[in-house]
Amino acid sequence: MHKLYLMTRSEENYIKTIFHLGRKGTQEVATNAIAELMETKPSSVTDMIKKLSEKNLVNYKRYQGVSLTSLGTKTALGIIRKHRLWEVFLVEKLDFSWDEVHEVAEQLEHIKSDKLIDSLDRLLAFPKFDPHGDPIPDKNGGFKERDRDLLSEVPINTVGVCVGVKDSSATFLKFLDKNGIALGNQISVKEREEFDGSLNIEIDGRNLQISHVIAANLYIKTNDEI
Amino acid sequence: MHKLYLMTRSEENYIKTIFHLGRKGTQEVATNAIAELMETKPSSVTDMIKKLSEKNLVNYKRYQGVSLTSLGTKTALGIIRKHRLWEVFLVEKLDFSWDEVHEVAEQLEHIKSDKLIDSLDRLLAFPKFDPHGDPIPDKNGGFKERDRDLLSEVPINTVGVCVGVKDSSATFLKFLDKNGIALGNQISVKEREEFDGSLNIEIDGRNLQISHVIAANLYIKTNDEI
DNA sequence: ATTAAAATTTAGGCAAATCTAAAAATTTGT
DNA sequence: ACAAATTTTTAGATTTGCCTAAATTTTAAT
Ligand SMILES: [Mn+2]
Ligand SMILES: [Mn+2]
Ligand SMILES: [Mn+2]
Ligand SMILES: [Mn+2]
């Protein structure tokens, strides 16, 4: 029934991009937004959208943007599941660092084999999150965003654990490495500088001053939950 | 220097096919042979050969067939290395059976990342042979064909170990499974039926009658070496 | 040595995925 | 409300990899 298996790599990349853009706003996804994220031209996007629409992967009305159908969403989740499982594999089994995995996972996510990905899942002991703290959809596409907050938005004296990054560019991740910030670290927010929004935090015992930009790209899971 | 990295999947598949066809005979590889193995048309092969020739991957003179250049050979060995390492991975780490790995490896062999393949090599403890008994080229493309003989061609009373298959189609491999024939098995040749070339062998203690066709697709490493 | 057969290449086309430039629709600003 | 700016789509090319059909070259058979 689902001919997901005869999708081209390009089609898969469009679907994935539309999924990511669609998550944030509740609006339809704009042609230009897709083009920008995929580093292609709007006219190319329009062409592809028409094809995806034919295949019932997206809802599309001219000039009105696109959204994924349920089939499209399912497809996107399948690709994201593969991407993130491969990222875990690279870190856990092949000793890649978290700033090296994305590029390779971009290739591996297009490998077609249900058995492969389910076996990989088992080998990795069914991980729930990837190396950047992003949730991994299960076999049926089910996944729960973890309850978490940007470090830049929690009140002073909040205590919690670093559970993810918003920006997962290699540049940012290497910066975090250099400053000894990693997922799993205990963090408490000591002070917020009103002038520039920088934070004084305690992380794994050490004191550290981080800019607002950094804080706005770190997710924390606070201890004070119900 | 080597722009191996900007080869398309199609180019890589042609190079790999030319390598495999070139191994056997010492002759140039024929256009039609490539077309048949790749299930494409001779005219398509000619088109691609021209492109590969431009890129200095094959030697080509019109109507005279092709052969790999040293760059082409190096490229082929790189792809074969990846293919076979992935096959080992699938069997050793993901519990695939030896008849299931080839199709997936056909996809995985095109993933571009030196770090990935070298780490995989390490994870697998630098295997020398793939699940079908074929040798795995090392990082530098060096590899030695194991000294072995077709079961159909050794004399009566030869004793040895089953080390490989010539035909590695799923059909043949499943047949071997069904008859309890696996790599590593001790084999001794008891009798050869002149009429049809079938063999009476002892394999891991059991007696078994196998047809000439089967024997002609099983490699044995004999015990009587220097 | 010719002729017939087979192998290979060329010529011309097609589909996918991209692009540039121009046209059309929508949104924004006053 | 209406012109200007922006966004999106269309039109027409290009590249890659493939195809069919026809022409060319090589090989095999008499
Ligand atoms: Mn990633
Ligand atoms: Mn990730
Ligand atoms: Mn194989
Ligand atoms: Mn193999």
Side-chain angles (χ1 to χ4, degrees), chain B residues 8 10 14 40-41 43-44 47 51 63-64:
Chain B
T8 67
S10 187
Y14 274 95
T40 183
K41 302 296 169 183
S43 55
S44 306
D47 284 348
K51 205 199 311 178
Y63 292 98
Q64 303 306 131

Side-chain angles (χ1 to χ4, degrees), chain A residues 177-195:
Chain A
D177 285 345
K178 198 168 61 183
N179 289 273
I181 301 173
L183 300 200
N185 284 167
Q186 286 288 334
I187 292 184
S188 65
V189 180
K190 295 301 189 189
E191 200 180 349
R192 167 173 285 114
E193 184 57 64
E194 286 309 324
F195 179 63

Side-chain angles (χ1 to χ4, degrees), chain B residues 10-18 38 40 44 48 52:
Chain B
S10 187
E11 288 170 340
E12 290 189 343
N13 283 332
Y14 274 95
I15 289 295
K16 192 174 49 136
T17 299
I18 295 168
M38 298 193 66
T40 183
S44 306
M48 181 58 84
L52 297 176

Side-chain angles (χ1 to χ4, degrees), chain A:
Chain A
M1 171 46 80
H2 36 171
K3 31 183 113 151
L4 311 184
Y5 262 40
L6 38 103
M7 287 185 70
T8 66
R9 173 173 301 225
S10 187
E11 287 171 341
E12 289 189 345
N13 283 331
Y14 274 94
I15 289 295
K16 193 174 49 137
T17 300
I18 294 167
F19 179 89
H20 286 309
L21 288 170
R23 282 274 113 176
K24 303 289 158 183
T26 174
Q27 284 294 94
E28 303 289 286
V29 176
T31 301
N32 277 4
I34 299 169
E36 189 180 14
L37 200 54
M38 298 192 67
E39 298 182 66
T40 183
K41 302 295 171 184
S43 55
S44 306
V45 175
T46 301
D47 284 348
M48 180 58 84
I49 282 172
K50 285 182 193 161
K51 205 202 307 182
L52 297 175
S53 181
E54 282 302 307
K55 294 191 175 190
N56 250 293
L57 291 159
V58 300
N59 306 116
Y60 173 58
K61 272 174 303 189
R62 281 161 75 248
Y63 293 100
Q64 302 307 132
V66 283
S67 60
L68 294 180
T69 60
S70 65
L71 178 59
T73 303
K74 194 176 160 188
T75 304
L77 287 168
I79 302 163
I80 289 166
R81 167 173 162 78
K82 289 194 278 182
H83 182 103
R84 292 179 181 168
L85 280 173
W86 279 115
E87 285 189 344
V88 173
F89 170 76
L90 294 172
V91 166
E92 295 295 318
K93 301 294 178 182
L94 298 190
D95 298 316
F96 275 56
S97 53
W98 67 342
D99 58 284
E100 297 173 314
V101 297
H102 182 76
E103 189 192 1
V104 182
E106 283 291 306
Q107 299 179 62
L108 287 163
E109 72 187 4
H110 300 291
I111 303 291
K112 266 90 172 172
S113 166
D114 285 341
K115 179 170 173 119
L116 171 62
I117 204 64
D118 291 336
S119 303
L120 190 65
D121 199 12
R122 178 161 35 76
L123 174 71
L124 301 171
F126 308 104
K128 295 282 169 290
F129 300 96
D130 85 357
H132 312 104
D134 294 314
I136 300 175
D138 67 26
K139 197 170 179 162
N140 309 308
F143 86 126
K144 52 208 159 298
E145 280 288 359
R146 176 155 41 186
D147 192 37
R148 61 188 187 176
D149 304 285
L150 285 177
L151 197 50
S152 56
E153 294 180 353
V154 297
I156 300 297
N157 292 322
T158 298
V159 175
V161 180
C162 182
V163 294
V165 294
K166 182 147 179 276
D167 172 1
S168 53
S169 68
T171 327
F172 182 54
L173 299 177
K174 278 186 199 145
F175 169 88
L176 295 180
D177 285 345
K178 198 168 61 183
N179 289 273
I181 301 173
L183 300 200
N185 284 167
Q186 286 288 334
I187 292 184
S188 65
V189 180
K190 295 301 189 189
E191 200 180 349
R192 167 173 285 114
E193 184 57 64
E194 286 309 324
F195 179 63
D196 64 353
S198 67
L199 289 186
N200 198 311
I201 64 175
E202 184 181 308
I203 179 162
D204 264 16
R206 277 172 309 122
N207 267 47
L208 201 63
Q209 186 82 12
I210 62 175
S211 74
H212 176 76
V213 176
I214 304 303
N217 280 293
L218 281 174
Y219 286 113
I220 187 175
K221 179 156 197 317
T222 60
N223 291 342
D224 50 52
E225 44 203 318
I226 310 169

Side-chain angles (χ1 to χ4, degrees), chain B residues 83 87 102 132:
Chain B
H83 182 103
E87 285 189 345
H102 182 76
H132 312 105

